């Protein structure tokens, strides 16, 4: 893929990751995350900006790949702290959503790695890149479910709608009184 198209392909993923970390750092009961939330937000934005500038300057995709992987590891660490907060009412649902999101992005990354390694020798392997986008989007969806449940915990509410696959097809319209 040409450099300009790689940049266009990867910048939305970078923006989504930054927005997910931002949302997680502001919607939690975990005291350590709340205490450091402004530092977490400043750090992830600075890291994303530095990653884009370094990638734009050197034009080496490996720099972007390793920097983005580091951001995902930081996000996974934050998810762990938010999902395991002892006072969170939706702890089990958040944990299921977080685990599913992690599994989907790892599976997607596998497809991406195979496609990236073999695309020059076998041009018919391109559907694996589509699988990468599909699975990373499904992971992002589960991350959004996780963020919504975290926000509901922060606002002390029960879910008005719990989406698949975090809780099956269960729909509830309740409010804590």
């Amino acid at each position: 893929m040409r450099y300009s198209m790689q940049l266009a392909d990867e910048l939305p993923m970078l923006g989504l990751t930054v927005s997910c970390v931002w949302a997680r750092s502001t919607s939690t009961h975990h005291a350590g995350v709340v205490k450091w939330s402004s530092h977490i937000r400043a750090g992830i934005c600075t890291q994303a900006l530095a990653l884009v500038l370094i990638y734009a300057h050197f034009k080496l995709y490996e720099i972007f790949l390793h920097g983005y992987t580091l951001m995902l590891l930081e996000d996974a660490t934050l998810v762990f702290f938010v999902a395991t907060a002892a006072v969170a009412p939706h702890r089990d649902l958040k944990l299921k959503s977080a685990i599913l999101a992690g599994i989907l992005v790892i599976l997607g990354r596998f497809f991406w790695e195979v496609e990236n390694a073999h695309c020059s020798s076998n041009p018919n392997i391109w559907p694996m890149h589509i699988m990468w986008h599909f699975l990373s989007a499904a992971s992002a969806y589960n991350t959004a479910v996780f963020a919504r449940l975290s926000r509901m915990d922060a606002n002390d509410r029960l879910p008005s709608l719990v989406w698949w696959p975090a809780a099956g097809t269960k729909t509830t319209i309740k409010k804590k009184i």
Side-chain angles (χ1 to χ4, degrees), residues 92-94 96-97 100 141-142 145 149 162-168:
D92 292 341
L93 290 176
K94 288 193 305 187
K96 287 178 188 176
S97 293
L100 187 56
Y141 170 78
N142 282 283
V145 170
L149 291 170
V162 178
W163 298 293
W164 172 88

Side-chain angles (χ1 to χ4, degrees), residues 24-38:
R24 268 190 271 293
S25 70
T26 59
S27 61
T28 180
H29 282 31
H30 192 280
V33 175
V34 171
K35 179 181 175 184
W36 293 98
S37 64
S38 61

Side-chain angles (χ1 to χ4, degrees), residues 19-62:
S19 64
C20 288
V21 171
W22 188 285
R24 268 190 271 293
S25 70
T26 59
S27 61
T28 180
H29 282 31
H30 192 280
V33 175
V34 171
K35 179 181 175 184
W36 293 98
S37 64
S38 61
H39 298 291
I40 292 169
R41 290 191 306 268
I44 200 71
C45 289
T46 303
Q47 183 179 0
L49 180 61
L51 181 58
V52 169
L53 293 175
I54 292 169
Y55 176 51
H57 178 73
F58 290 107
K59 298 180 181 173
L60 292 173
Y61 187 67
E62 289 74 22

Side-chain angles (χ1 to χ4, degrees), residues 117-140:
H118 300 290
C119 67
S120 59
S121 62
N122 184 1
N124 294 329
I125 205 166
W126 63 266
M128 288 194 156
H129 193 80
I130 294 169
M131 287 302 297
W132 154 245
H133 282 282
F134 177 76
L135 291 169
S136 62
S139 176

Side-chain angles (χ1 to χ4, degrees), residues 67-120:
Y68 185 71
T69 301
L70 179 63
M71 288 179 70
L72 289 178
L73 288 173
E74 292 165 355
D75 186 38
T77 303
L78 187 58
V79 164
F80 172 77
F81 283 115
V82 173
T84 58
V87 295
H90 304 106
R91 180 180 177 183
D92 292 341
L93 290 176
K94 288 193 305 187
L95 207 49
K96 287 178 188 176
S97 293
I99 290 169
L100 187 56
I103 290 169
L104 289 170
V105 80
I106 289 169
L107 185 60
R109 178 73 189 262
F110 170 77
F111 280 108
W112 182 87
E113 288 288 348
V114 170
E115 183 264 341
N116 195 39
H118 300 290
C119 67
S120 59

